[in-house]
Amino acid sequence: MQDAETLAEQPPAGADEERPANSREKGLNRVLHILEFLHANQRAIGVGELAKGLNAPRSTTYTLVRELVEAGLLEMAGDGNRVYFGKKLYLYGMAYMRGNDLLRRGRQEVDTLSRETGETSELCMLQSGRYTIVHSSPGTRPFRISSATGLQIPLPWTASGRLLLAGLDRGRIEAMVTQDDLVLPDGRKIELDDFIDDIGKARVTGYCVTSGLVDAYTKCLAAPVFSAPGKVEATMCLVVPIDTSEDRTGELLTVLRERAARLSIS
Amino acid sequence: MQDAETLAEQPPAGADEERPANSREKGLNRVLHILEFLHANQRAIGVGELAKGLNAPRSTTYTLVRELVEAGLLEMAGDGNRVYFGKKLYLYGMAYMRGNDLLRRGRQEVDTLSRETGETSELCMLQSGRYTIVHSSPGTRPFRISSATGLQIPLPWTASGRLLLAGLDRGRIEAMVTQDDLVLPDGRKIELDDFIDDIGKARVTGYCVTSGLVDAYTKCLAAPVFSAPGKVEATMCLVVPIDTSEDRTGELLTVLRERAARLSIS
DNA sequence: AGTATCTGTCCTGTATATCATACATGCGTC
DNA sequence: GACGCATGTATGATATACAGGACAGATACT
């Protein structure tokens, strides 16, 4: 990092991307980072730790946090030092849900799907270019396969990712996938071309199954939810043990696709 | 447009506070106002309309909205002009709920309570000095008495308000209640002293019933939820027709208080 | 045609929000 | 007691985010 500084001032430089420096940052941006940080850590965090974690000046962090707490977007946690999300965010979130048929109905479908099948079921959407688990309902197996709502995962790691990108042209797909995204947790690398092929296939077949991508023990079945003909707005998916039989997988897939289709009517 | 201006150009008014001028406003504040405005209107709103509604310069509003959309806190609604809450807010809201036992369990209790009794049931909390319906579950009556989640109502209008302020001294209560709050929708005025008396009584009896305050047709039964001995963190309440018999009211009150007490253990 | 009212972008000056620094307090450990 | 490392507050300097207005394009009504 020091190299950059030693070199010289940073004039506008390259035509692309603004990375002026470490100088002043807009308050709003700082706030957005604070929220992201809290979301990533899923727990109350002290103001000092926040400032450190975001490379933000302490003084600014204090004022911003105070303002956010006053506004109700954040709340002081028990000991009066740490902060976490506040009621206002919950209220806004519920308002979003109320205004969003797809989400509201999708949550129900997912819940009943996992109750009926006993498997973990999820509703997934594209969220600023990333795959996001919007709602998940754990299965009834003794050892549950569960993942946190709001978790963001590289698109190429998932079956849903392949469906969510169906219909996009190569350029847009490339823009959404970084090199890191193509490397699986176990180190294997997915070729971009293979990924794009998969997307094409998924688009045609109307579903997608992946095995042992995110981890070695699970298989992922996904079906698209359309908001308009050809436009994939979300996916429903089932996460099952990788040794699930062909037959059962087929059955599950049928139920899954049925429910996803029902959601699409909207 | 003239009305809007007359409305908004409110000089300091009663409660002192800093209202230096109409000059520059912080971006973050503008954003907070945007969120509040959307929440108040419960629908997607065009950028121009937003700017007008908030007395904010158009140019600033455009940039802020763009940033918020990029961040995922807001989303463009269908026609590409209006904006409303975004998925991020939903995700943050869910994170808040996960991290908040009381809320999570309270929602369940409210749902089962309204299923058992057939009456509309609500979970209420204090939110930056105002009474807020955090979760509500409609009853099964042919004509439902329902109110929107997130709605904020003056404390003196409600039974829950009397419980939520239990334990606070007179000064703090006065600080939370404006003159306007003491005037009911039908024009009647509540005396501050009476209100404070009510709070004292509610505190002792451990419940509160009000009749025909917000409207002429409903009665409101409320019971406190404690987060620590003496500290009222929330209330559960039932909204029933005003002509509900004494007997039934008594029964409902018993069930309500039982459930509220169970929530309090935490 | 003209007029009016939208939307969205771009530019410039300046009021000010951000930042660095310093200070007060608390709470450990040596 | 002296030191280190926290948290929280206060202050002044300056880079910059905001306000305001000009601009181009759309839509609509006369």
mmCIF file of all heavy atoms in Angstrom, chain A residues 4-21 23, chain D residues 16:
data_model
loop_
_atom_site.group_PDB
_atom_site.id
_atom_site.type_symbol
_atom_site.label_atom_id
_atom_site.label_comp_id
_atom_site.label_asym_id
_atom_site.label_seq_id
_atom_site.Cartn_x
_atom_site.Cartn_y
_atom_site.Cartn_z
ATOM 1 N N ALA A 4 2.097 3.071 -3.445
ATOM 2 C CA ALA A 4 1.240 4.025 -4.148
ATOM 3 C C ALA A 4 1.505 5.444 -3.653
ATOM 4 O O ALA A 4 1.675 6.368 -4.438
ATOM 5 C CB ALA A 4 -0.230 3.680 -3.938
ATOM 6 N N GLU A 5 1.586 5.574 -2.362
ATOM 7 C CA GLU A 5 1.793 6.901 -1.814
ATOM 8 C C GLU A 5 3.150 7.464 -2.213
ATOM 9 O O GLU A 5 3.278 8.587 -2.654
ATOM 10 C CB GLU A 5 1.700 6.859 -0.293
ATOM 11 C CG GLU A 5 0.281 6.531 0.166
ATOM 12 C CD GLU A 5 0.238 6.196 1.638
ATOM 13 O OE1 GLU A 5 1.205 6.530 2.342
ATOM 14 O OE2 GLU A 5 -0.751 5.584 2.062
ATOM 15 N N THR A 6 4.172 6.662 -2.035
ATOM 16 C CA THR A 6 5.523 7.123 -2.326
ATOM 17 C C THR A 6 5.642 7.618 -3.744
ATOM 18 O O THR A 6 6.345 8.588 -4.017
ATOM 19 C CB THR A 6 6.540 5.988 -2.113
ATOM 20 O OG1 THR A 6 5.852 4.754 -2.193
ATOM 21 C CG2 THR A 6 7.232 6.138 -0.777
ATOM 22 N N LEU A 7 4.979 6.961 -4.643
ATOM 23 C CA LEU A 7 5.099 7.328 -6.046
ATOM 24 C C LEU A 7 4.806 8.797 -6.283
ATOM 25 O O LEU A 7 5.624 9.522 -6.813
ATOM 26 C CB LEU A 7 4.138 6.484 -6.888
ATOM 27 C CG LEU A 7 4.816 5.386 -7.685
ATOM 28 C CD1 LEU A 7 3.798 4.598 -8.481
ATOM 29 C CD2 LEU A 7 5.888 5.964 -8.587
ATOM 30 N N ALA A 8 3.635 9.218 -5.922
ATOM 31 C CA ALA A 8 3.255 10.610 -6.167
ATOM 32 C C ALA A 8 1.823 10.837 -5.780
ATOM 33 O O ALA A 8 1.152 9.946 -5.281
ATOM 34 C CB ALA A 8 3.448 10.957 -7.647
ATOM 35 N N GLU A 9 1.376 12.033 -6.026
ATOM 36 C CA GLU A 9 -0.040 12.317 -5.814
ATOM 37 C C GLU A 9 -0.809 11.446 -6.792
ATOM 38 O O GLU A 9 -0.294 11.001 -7.795
ATOM 39 C CB GLU A 9 -0.341 13.782 -6.131
ATOM 40 C CG GLU A 9 0.789 14.718 -5.822
ATOM 41 C CD GLU A 9 1.121 14.691 -4.347
ATOM 42 O OE1 GLU A 9 0.281 15.150 -3.592
ATOM 43 O OE2 GLU A 9 2.195 14.199 -3.960
ATOM 44 N N GLN A 10 -2.063 11.268 -6.484
ATOM 45 C CA GLN A 10 -2.894 10.514 -7.404
ATOM 46 C C GLN A 10 -3.739 11.472 -8.211
ATOM 47 O O GLN A 10 -4.800 11.878 -7.754
ATOM 48 C CB GLN A 10 -3.816 9.595 -6.615
ATOM 49 C CG GLN A 10 -3.042 8.678 -5.714
ATOM 50 C CD GLN A 10 -2.903 7.319 -6.312
ATOM 51 O OE1 GLN A 10 -2.551 7.180 -7.484
ATOM 52 N NE2 GLN A 10 -3.203 6.320 -5.535
ATOM 53 N N PRO A 11 -3.296 11.839 -9.394
ATOM 54 C CA PRO A 11 -4.205 12.598 -10.241
ATOM 55 C C PRO A 11 -5.308 11.656 -10.688
ATOM 56 O O PRO A 11 -5.184 10.451 -10.495
ATOM 57 C CB PRO A 11 -3.338 13.017 -11.434
ATOM 58 C CG PRO A 11 -1.950 12.521 -11.132
ATOM 59 C CD PRO A 11 -2.050 11.509 -10.053
ATOM 60 N N PRO A 12 -6.328 12.208 -11.275
ATOM 61 C CA PRO A 12 -7.424 11.369 -11.762
ATOM 62 C C PRO A 12 -6.942 10.042 -12.309
ATOM 63 O O PRO A 12 -7.609 9.046 -12.165
ATOM 64 C CB PRO A 12 -8.046 12.231 -12.858
ATOM 65 C CG PRO A 12 -7.794 13.640 -12.379
ATOM 66 C CD PRO A 12 -6.621 13.610 -11.457
ATOM 67 N N ALA A 13 -5.774 10.057 -12.917
ATOM 68 C CA ALA A 13 -5.166 8.815 -13.390
ATOM 69 C C ALA A 13 -6.016 8.149 -14.447
ATOM 70 O O ALA A 13 -6.642 8.807 -15.251
ATOM 71 C CB ALA A 13 -4.951 7.861 -12.236
ATOM 72 N N GLY A 14 -6.007 6.832 -14.423
ATOM 73 C CA GLY A 14 -6.653 6.023 -15.460
ATOM 74 C C GLY A 14 -8.069 6.469 -15.741
ATOM 75 O O GLY A 14 -8.723 7.067 -14.891
ATOM 76 N N ALA A 15 -8.522 6.149 -16.917
ATOM 77 C CA ALA A 15 -9.837 6.599 -17.319
ATOM 78 C C ALA A 15 -10.939 5.918 -16.503
ATOM 79 O O ALA A 15 -12.000 6.469 -16.317
ATOM 80 C CB ALA A 15 -10.054 6.323 -18.800
ATOM 81 N N ASP A 16 -10.622 4.721 -16.014
ATOM 82 C CA ASP A 16 -11.690 3.947 -15.382
ATOM 83 C C ASP A 16 -11.630 3.992 -13.868
ATOM 84 O O ASP A 16 -10.597 4.235 -13.284
ATOM 85 C CB ASP A 16 -11.560 2.489 -15.822
ATOM 86 C CG ASP A 16 -10.253 1.912 -15.326
ATOM 87 O OD1 ASP A 16 -9.295 2.709 -15.130
ATOM 88 O OD2 ASP A 16 -10.162 0.729 -15.124
ATOM 89 N N GLU A 17 -12.747 3.745 -13.283
ATOM 90 C CA GLU A 17 -12.812 3.535 -11.841
ATOM 91 C C GLU A 17 -12.229 4.696 -11.062
ATOM 92 O O GLU A 17 -11.133 5.165 -11.332
ATOM 93 C CB GLU A 17 -12.055 2.244 -11.464
ATOM 94 C CG GLU A 17 -12.753 0.994 -11.892
ATOM 95 C CD GLU A 17 -14.191 0.952 -11.394
ATOM 96 O OE1 GLU A 17 -14.434 1.383 -10.268
ATOM 97 O OE2 GLU A 17 -15.057 0.499 -12.172
ATOM 98 N N GLU A 18 -12.965 5.092 -10.091
ATOM 99 C CA GLU A 18 -12.475 6.163 -9.243
ATOM 100 C C GLU A 18 -11.891 5.566 -7.967
ATOM 101 O O GLU A 18 -12.562 4.947 -7.189
ATOM 102 C CB GLU A 18 -13.619 7.090 -8.872
ATOM 103 C CG GLU A 18 -14.861 6.306 -8.476
ATOM 104 C CD GLU A 18 -16.090 6.837 -9.163
ATOM 105 O OE1 GLU A 18 -16.327 8.028 -9.041
ATOM 106 O OE2 GLU A 18 -16.765 6.069 -9.857
ATOM 107 N N ARG A 19 -10.644 5.704 -7.799
ATOM 108 C CA ARG A 19 -10.008 5.273 -6.562
ATOM 109 C C ARG A 19 -9.046 6.373 -6.163
ATOM 110 O O ARG A 19 -7.853 6.175 -6.096
ATOM 111 C CB ARG A 19 -9.265 3.952 -6.807
ATOM 112 C CG ARG A 19 -9.216 3.051 -5.609
ATOM 113 C CD ARG A 19 -10.423 2.180 -5.334
ATOM 114 N NE ARG A 19 -11.695 2.737 -5.616
ATOM 115 C CZ ARG A 19 -12.655 2.888 -4.689
ATOM 116 N NH1 ARG A 19 -12.416 2.564 -3.470
ATOM 117 N NH2 ARG A 19 -13.831 3.321 -5.004
ATOM 118 N N PRO A 20 -9.584 7.569 -5.930
ATOM 119 C CA PRO A 20 -8.732 8.741 -5.736
ATOM 120 C C PRO A 20 -7.692 8.503 -4.656
ATOM 121 O O PRO A 20 -6.525 8.683 -4.886
ATOM 122 C CB PRO A 20 -9.717 9.832 -5.319
ATOM 123 C CG PRO A 20 -11.024 9.161 -5.069
ATOM 124 C CD PRO A 20 -10.996 7.851 -5.758
ATOM 125 N N ALA A 21 -8.104 8.098 -3.518
ATOM 126 C CA ALA A 21 -7.133 7.903 -2.452
ATOM 127 C C ALA A 21 -7.858 7.520 -1.196
ATOM 128 O O ALA A 21 -8.972 7.035 -1.207
ATOM 129 C CB ALA A 21 -6.325 9.184 -2.243
ATOM 130 N N SER A 23 -8.382 9.800 1.033
ATOM 131 C CA SER A 23 -8.711 11.104 1.602
ATOM 132 C C SER A 23 -10.077 11.098 2.263
ATOM 133 O O SER A 23 -10.427 10.174 2.958
ATOM 134 C CB SER A 23 -8.638 12.171 0.515
ATOM 135 O OG SER A 23 -9.402 11.758 -0.598
ATOM 136 P P DT D 16 -10.889 16.009 -1.307
ATOM 137 O OP1 DT D 16 -10.646 14.572 -1.168
ATOM 138 O OP2 DT D 16 -10.339 16.765 -2.442
ATOM 139 O "O5'" DT D 16 -12.456 16.263 -1.220
ATOM 140 C "C5'" DT D 16 -13.061 16.321 0.059
ATOM 141 C "C4'" DT D 16 -14.541 16.622 -0.053
ATOM 142 O "O4'" DT D 16 -14.777 18.008 0.284
ATOM 143 C "C3'" DT D 16 -15.149 16.438 -1.437
ATOM 144 O "O3'" DT D 16 -16.502 16.089 -1.299
ATOM 145 C "C2'" DT D 16 -15.044 17.820 -2.011
ATOM 146 C "C1'" DT D 16 -15.464 18.614 -0.773
ATOM 147 N N1 DT D 16 -15.092 20.032 -0.784
ATOM 148 C C2 DT D 16 -15.907 20.916 -0.110
ATOM 149 O O2 DT D 16 -16.889 20.574 0.494
ATOM 150 N N3 DT D 16 -15.502 22.219 -0.180
ATOM 151 C C4 DT D 16 -14.393 22.716 -0.851
ATOM 152 O O4 DT D 16 -14.132 23.903 -0.854
ATOM 153 C C5 DT D 16 -13.592 21.733 -1.524
ATOM 154 C C7 DT D 16 -12.378 22.147 -2.257
ATOM 155 C C6 DT D 16 -13.981 20.456 -1.459
#
